[in-house]
Amino acid sequence: MQVQFRTKKEANMEQEREFLALSPIERVYRFLVLMQRINRFPTKAKHDENKFIIQITTGK
């Protein structure tokens, strides 16, 4: 593991460059994975039984 010391601005710029280097479809998948991970965090939002769910399955 390598430790790097940099400013938040530098880290954000590197993250943005790496994200923009992805293909458009990879960006969509990364966004959907991020949304799935965010759902694991505790929230005060009410649980809605009628929510819209996108389920991605691999063809393997």
Side-chain angles (χ1 to χ4, degrees), residues 30-41:
R30 291 276 177 102
F31 174 76
L32 293 174
V33 168
L34 176 65
M35 293 298 101
Q36 187 176 22
R37 288 180 181 170
I38 285 176
N39 285 333
R40 296 179 189 158
F41 286 95

Side-chain angles (χ1 to χ4, degrees), residues 10-39:
E10 290 170 337
N12 286 343
M13 287 174 60
E14 183 179 344
Q15 250 184 335
E16 183 179 1
R17 267 194 314 273
E18 290 174 359
F19 181 75
L20 293 176
L22 298 173
S23 71
I25 192 67
E26 288 174 317
R27 292 180 197 173
V28 171
Y29 281 126
R30 291 276 177 102
F31 174 76
L32 293 174
V33 168
L34 176 65
M35 293 298 101
Q36 187 176 22
R37 288 180 181 170
I38 285 176
N39 285 333

